[in-house]
Amino acid sequence: MNIKRAKEEIQNTVRAYLAKDAYGSYRIPQLRQRPVLLMGPPGIGKTQIMEQIAGELGVGLVSYTITHHTRQSALGLPFIREETFGGRSFSVTEYTMSEILAAVWRQMEATGIKEGILFLDEINCISETLAPMMLQFLQCKTFGNQRLPEGWVLAAAGNPPEYNKSVREFDVVTLDRVKRMDVTADYGVWKEYARRKGLHGAILSYLELHKEDFYHVERTADGLQFVTARGWEDLSELLQAYEAMDIPVDRDVVGAYLQLPRIARSFADYWVLYRRYKEVYHVDEILKGRWQPVVASELASAPFDERLSLLGLLLSRLSEEARQTWELDALADALHGDLLAVKGALDQTPPAQVLRERAGALEAGLAQKEAAGSSDRDARRRSLARLERLGAYQALLEREAPGDGGGAFALLKDAFQEDVARRAQAAVETGAHLEHAFAFLEAALGESQEMVVFATELTAGFHTSWFIQSFGCEAYYRHNQSLLFHDVRQQLLQDIAGLRQAQES
């Protein structure tokens, strides 16, 4: 299965394991809650989906790479205690609490969240001395005489032997007690994720031309060489940072992330062209509707890969603008909720106090998610933007000192209208840029295959499809209607051809 399907199934499994009956007991007893075992090549997002699942379900997450542990840290250290059996005193070996289980208890104490996921990565690369303890943990959820707390789901991940020579094979007894899922690299699923996360347009447009370069692991005379989904995402982060600081990127830089020389060389060469296309075609001018006819003519005569690269440039910019509009929209919705809370408490609580309480609850929620290991960077950024505006609202009330609740609320409404205006302005600009992009591509390419790709990518992108659905785009609708008419016409022609063949036979 692909990583998206695996995430859905793990999420459903965790929900089922944490479901309770009418008496407050877990529907599936802990003994019958099979640990999830996720097997797949490295760097495809196994760890990342655990973070996403924990964040979306609101549960805790404790992650360990098990290869970093010894038998002592996993099981605990032995100590001697005296016990009496049948009237006689004996020295008995006990163990201190496992470092892994202690981390679970610490998180529950720190966050107050009593349910969660304990995720053990590289589970099949454990040392020979740790193997028996880990197999016992998978089977019984205990280290020695200490049990994983109820309400915590055990999940593990490992790499198949073709990717790691040090892996250990699980026996049938263990495999019969886990819920195993085999995951494969899937570019289509990763692309959907990458578009939503805002990965660099150069990477997305390159992989559209070279889908076969998305994931590779090869054993060569020079050792293991590989390119993974994780490598592409980390490279994207670096490219965006280097671009912002105007730092050049060469093959050596790319090769530190794409550790298969021929693919690193291919992408580094493409990066040079991508940057050149950005300057030659003046993407900013296209989006502002100021392009010159000669630029459209140059694109019309350009080879397919150059056309696709320009589409990537345009889509990257439009996706980022749509994302910014989406974030401003989410911020305005959240602030609207804050103002409704102020309005609802006007007779009992001063507006400034309501704002402080709302900001305090938001900060506490952020801290809890951080401590629980389930914080999402994008969600955190949106929360911080909201905190910044709540702080500005409080500063406004302190500065203006309106004196009564009604006056304070009127000030807050005016301030909120500024946030609404920012959202509206962003929507107007993004909408205009979409229309201008369509106008340029129609002038240069007409109803070509590239136009189909452009409209399809807008539809597939989370933020661009949200924007079009929320604010509309006449050029998009017009193009899709003509495309739909073309598809219907082609189908009719095929049906007619089929009838003729049937009549002739």
Side-chain angles (χ1 to χ4, degrees):
M1 65 177 68
N2 60 49
I3 198 72
K4 182 179 180 180
R5 178 70 186 92
K7 177 187 172 183
E8 292 172 353
E9 183 53 32
I10 295 169
Q11 196 164 34
N12 289 337
T13 301
V14 173
R15 291 174 59 207
Y17 286 175
L18 299 183
K20 295 181 179 179
D21 60 22
Y23 301 100
S25 300
Y26 289 104
R27 287 183 178 275
I28 302 176
Q30 189 182 42
L31 184 64
R32 297 299 176 197
Q33 294 181 7
R34 290 192 172 199
V36 172
L37 177 60
L38 203 57
M39 297 295 289
I44 63 171
K46 297 188 295 292
T47 303
Q48 205 162 46
I49 64 168
M50 294 299 173
E51 296 172 355
Q52 294 170 8
I53 291 168
E56 290 168 15
L57 295 181
V59 300
L61 176 68
V62 173
S63 297
Y64 271 95
T65 300
I66 205 63
T67 51
H68 299 166
H69 280 273
T70 64
R71 182 178 185 276
Q72 288 75 22
S73 63
L75 180 62
L77 294 173
F79 65 93
I80 305 298
R81 60 177 297 179
E82 296 295 321
E83 288 198 46
T84 301
F85 302 112
R88 295 178 59 189
S89 181
F90 295 89
S91 296
V92 180
T93 302
E94 291 277 0
Y95 286 87
T96 58
M97 179 174 281
S98 159
E99 180 183 323
I100 296 173
L101 294 182
V104 173
W105 285 104
R106 285 194 197 100
Q107 192 184 99
M108 288 195 292
E109 292 291 324
T111 65
I113 298 175
K114 302 304 181 184
E115 297 177 328
I117 301 169
L118 173 58
F119 177 60
L120 305 177
D121 201 5
E122 299 183 12
I123 189 71
N124 57 345
C125 295
I126 52 179
S127 65
E128 187 175 349
T129 57
L130 182 57
M133 302 299 103
M134 192 52 57
L135 295 181
Q136 176 199 9
F137 191 52
L138 286 175
Q139 293 174 19
C140 307
K141 302 183 185 65
T142 60
F143 278 129
N145 59 354
Q146 299 163 33
R147 183 176 293 276
L148 181 69
E150 254 200 334
W152 279 75
V153 176
L154 181 57
N159 301 322
E162 60 265 32
Y163 298 103
N164 193 325
K165 291 188 292 186
S166 62
V167 302
R168 305 176 62 84
E169 290 290 339
F170 290 123
D171 56 34
V172 174
V173 175
T174 300
L175 290 174
D176 194 36
R177 287 170 168 79
V178 299
K179 181 173 182 174
R180 175 168 174 162
M181 302 179 196
D182 292 293
V183 187
T184 57
D186 186 317
Y187 171 66
V189 169
W190 181 84
K191 177 185 170 184
E192 181 182 329
Y193 161 83
R195 287 288 302 274
R196 181 159 184 171
K197 296 292 286 187
L199 265 64
H200 200 288
I203 289 174
L204 293 173
S205 57
Y206 172 82
L207 289 175
E208 279 300 294
L209 292 165
H210 306 278
K211 294 181 178 67
E212 69 280 3
D213 289 350
F214 168 58
Y215 195 99
H216 272 283
V217 177
E218 298 178 4
R219 292 191 180 278
T220 69
D222 297 322
L224 197 65
Q225 297 180 343
F226 54 90
V227 172
T228 68
R230 181 192 296 124
W232 287 113
E233 184 167 1
D234 291 347
L235 177 60
S236 172
E237 297 276 359
L238 186 86
L239 292 178
Q240 290 170 340
Y242 272 27
E243 270 194 312
M245 297 183 287
D246 200 26
I247 298 174
V249 174
D250 58 21
R251 291 184 185 180
D252 292 333
V253 173
V254 173
Y257 294 84
L258 309 181
Q259 299 186 47
L260 202 161
R262 63 177 174 80
I263 294 179
R265 182 169 55 252
S266 176
F267 178 76
D269 293 342
Y270 178 80
W271 172 255
V272 174
L273 291 174
Y274 185 86
R275 298 274 290 178
R276 184 170 71 82
Y277 295 152
K278 187 175 182 180
E279 296 172 2
V280 168
Y281 287 105
H282 306 288
V283 171
D284 288 339
E285 296 300 302
I286 291 174
L287 294 179
K288 292 175 182 176
R290 300 173 186 166
W291 49 273
Q292 300 298 318
V294 66
V295 178
S297 299
E298 288 175 358
L299 183 64
S301 59
F304 178 73
D305 59 347
E306 187 169 328
R307 296 182 184 187
L308 208 59
S309 296
L310 180 61
L311 292 187
L313 282 163
L314 292 172
L315 287 165
S316 179
R317 283 288 303 277
L318 291 169
S319 295
E320 181 56 31
E321 291 183 15
R323 172 202 284 269
Q324 292 172 3
T325 306
W326 179 77
E327 290 186 342
L328 288 171
D329 185 73
L331 175 62
D333 284 348
L335 292 173
H336 183 253
D338 294 324
L339 260 65
L340 287 178
V342 169
K343 184 178 181 181
L346 276 179
D347 295 336
Q348 298 86 22
T349 311
Q353 182 178 334
V354 175
L355 293 177
R356 282 194 299 271
E357 290 172 354
R358 303 277 290 187
L362 185 56
E363 287 178 329
L366 280 172
Q368 187 183 62
K369 287 181 179 179
E370 287 285 338
S374 58
S375 177
D376 176 80
R377 186 177 66 173
D378 293 337
R380 176 178 172 78
R381 185 176 65 248
R382 292 193 296 272
S383 294
L384 291 175
R386 181 180 162 205
L387 277 172
E388 187 275 330
R389 292 304 297 151
L390 289 176
Y393 288 177
Q394 292 177 61
L396 173 67
L397 295 181
E398 292 174 3
R399 185 173 61 253
E400 298 295 332
D404 60 52
F409 186 69
L411 282 175
L412 293 176
K413 282 179 61 179
D414 290 341
F416 174 67
Q417 288 307 313
E418 296 176 9
D419 295 296
V420 173
R422 274 192 290 272
R423 175 182 62 182
Q425 182 61 29
V428 167
E429 291 178 0
T430 302
H433 291 171
L434 263 172
E435 295 284 352
H436 294 152
F438 268 107
F440 171 77
L441 293 174
E442 286 168 353
L445 306 175
E447 292 298 324
S448 63
Q449 183 64 29
E450 291 85 353
M451 286 296 294
V452 175
V453 171
F454 185 67
T456 301
E457 290 297 300
L458 288 174
T459 306
F462 174 82
H463 296 104
T464 48
S465 63
W466 168 85
F467 181 88
I468 292 169
Q469 184 178 15
S470 301
F471 299 98
C473 176
E474 288 301 320
Y476 172 86
Y477 296 140
R478 184 176 65 253
H479 177 77
N480 272 10
Q481 285 173 354
S482 66
L483 183 63
L484 180 62
F485 174 78
H486 174 77
D487 290 344
V488 171
R489 182 173 179 272
Q490 290 298 109
Q491 185 61 52
L492 287 172
L493 290 173
Q494 290 176 12
D495 293 343
I496 292 169
L499 287 171
R500 284 176 178 171
Q501 290 177 359
Q503 290 171 352
E504 293 171 356
S505 60

